[in-house]
Amino acid sequence: MEMQYLDWNNSVPILGKAYDAGLFAIIIGPKGTGKTTLVRQFAQSMNARLESVNFSLRTRESHLVGTKTLHDGTVSFGEGLLVRSMREGGILYLDEINSAEADVLLRLDEALDDRRQIVLKESSGEVIKAKENWFVVATINPLTHSGTKELPPQILSRFPVRISLEYPPEDIEMEIVKKYVSGSHDEDIRQGVKLANMLRKAAAVEELFYSPSMRETIAFGRLLDKSMQAKEAAGIVFGNVYTQWGSIEYQKVSDIITSMFGS
């Protein structure tokens, strides 16, 4: 089921103003707060072509810029996603940009400065200048997330429009979850959302190792739709993940679930 974004903090209009002003935007927030869904909805609202790349330690310059290939004795250059996006315009989504390696960020910096251009030194030396409607949105997770690094100031400065996307208030999260369920489980969903927020707060002060996202509260609601009892669904979605940190961690969460949903 495709995620639906409920724009509870007015992020879509902010992105619209950034687009109109020609200013790139960055969305900062923990996993599962709807960052990717927000970008997709914005692109849809603008009827704009969307290209995206999810950064990791395996992302290379060649993925963005392109690489030479040899086929039947002929050398050709296959353009990467960044170059293709600049040529064609639309929206480029740089997901988890602070997971990228330094050389990749350096090449991105070349394209993201005020000139909006990049030199294809890997090929003919052609200067690629972005179309006027080219718009870039990036997302970053907090530094507490595994694999993320502090974004260099020069890269951060390329994104002067900054949106902070936290988990929504409990009543808003409940409204979001209810978009994905067909049955009437309001009280159980309310308890599931409350449980998720308790676990997030505990993780924020390092009392627990894991913070559940809205994907998990939605999954909880969808299991209720399949006639699963609330306590069992809570254990499967919210509780069992903590077993990887040992029985003490798991028991903490299991006790919370029992107190909220009964024995």
Side-chain angles (χ1 to χ4, degrees), residues 208-211 239-250:
L208 291 173
F209 285 101
Y210 183 75
S211 175
N240 289 347
V241 67
Y242 292 93
T243 58
Q244 67 179 310
W245 291 285
S247 59
I248 294 176
E249 187 85 352
Y250 168 73

Side-chain angles (χ1 to χ4, degrees), residues 5 21 26 89 93 97 117 121 123 149 170 175 193 240 254:
Y5 184 74
I26 193 164
Y93 174 38
I97 188 175
Q117 65 183 38
K121 60 185 181 184
S123 180
K149 303 181 288 291
E170 288 186 15
E175 189 178 340
V193 169
N240 289 347
S254 184

Side-chain angles (χ1 to χ4, degrees), residues 2-235:
E2 186 177 351
M3 296 284 284
Q4 304 167 50
Y5 184 74
L6 180 64
D7 193 17
W8 64 275
N9 66 346
N10 207 39
S11 296
V12 172
I14 293 171
L15 286 175
K17 292 188 181 301
Y19 181 93
D20 291 342
L23 300 171
F24 295 158
I26 193 164
I27 305 167
I28 306 162
K31 62 180 177 60
T33 49
K35 298 188 295 294
T36 297
T37 309
L38 164 60
V39 175
R40 287 174 180 161
Q41 182 163 309
F42 172 69
Q44 187 175 26
S45 72
M46 300 294 292
N47 196 27
R49 178 177 168 277
L50 178 66
E51 290 269 20
S52 63
V53 56
N54 182 269
F55 287 93
S56 72
L57 297 178
R58 295 184 175 183
T59 307
R60 298 288 176 259
E61 269 189 79
S62 57
H63 296 146
L64 300 180
V65 180
T67 185
K68 289 181 179 178
T69 58
L70 179 63
H71 183 68
D72 292 337
T74 302
V75 177
S76 59
F77 182 76
E79 292 183 348
L81 183 144
L82 172 64
V83 173
R84 189 167 66 246
S85 176
M86 294 175 75
R87 281 194 191 277
E88 298 177 3
I91 298 172
L92 177 62
Y93 174 38
L94 306 176
D95 189 23
E96 298 187 17
I97 188 175
N98 60 334
S99 295
E101 293 286 76
D103 60 328
V104 175
L105 290 176
L106 189 63
R107 206 64 198 278
L108 269 174
D109 186 50
E110 179 187 354
L112 297 175
D113 75 11
D114 293 339
R115 293 170 295 177
R116 307 284 199 261
Q117 65 183 38
I118 191 169
V119 179
L120 285 184
K121 60 185 181 184
E122 294 83 355
S123 180
S124 59
E126 178 187 0
V127 177
I128 307 297
K129 189 162 180 63
K131 290 188 73 171
E132 192 169 338
N133 70 338
W134 190 54
F135 182 63
V136 182
V137 184
T139 63
I140 58 176
N141 289 328
L143 294 175
T144 50
H145 287 235
S146 176
T148 59
K149 303 181 288 291
E150 185 175 352
L151 204 61
Q154 71 270 22
I155 295 291
L156 192 57
S157 70
R158 305 303 186 201
F159 300 93
V161 175
R162 291 86 182 247
I163 297 172
S164 176
L165 198 61
E166 296 296 331
Y167 294 109
E170 288 186 15
D171 59 334
I172 299 296
E173 185 166 359
M174 183 172 173
E175 189 178 340
I176 293 169
V177 174
K178 288 173 67 175
K179 286 178 173 288
Y180 297 89
V181 300
S182 56
S184 179
H185 320 287
D186 285 13
E187 187 53 40
D188 286 335
I189 291 173
R190 186 175 290 107
Q191 285 291 86
V193 169
K194 183 178 179 181
L195 170 62
N197 274 279
M198 288 176 63
L199 299 178
R200 290 166 189 160
K201 289 173 183 175
V205 295
E206 299 183 348
E207 290 179 0
L208 291 173
F209 285 101
Y210 183 75
S211 175
S213 73
M214 284 197 293
R215 295 186 189 97
E216 279 124 316
T217 52
I218 291 168
F220 172 76
R222 292 176 69 181
L223 288 177
L224 297 179
D225 258 359
K226 300 304 177 184
S227 301
M228 186 176 285
Q229 292 298 309
K231 184 185 177 184
E232 183 182 7

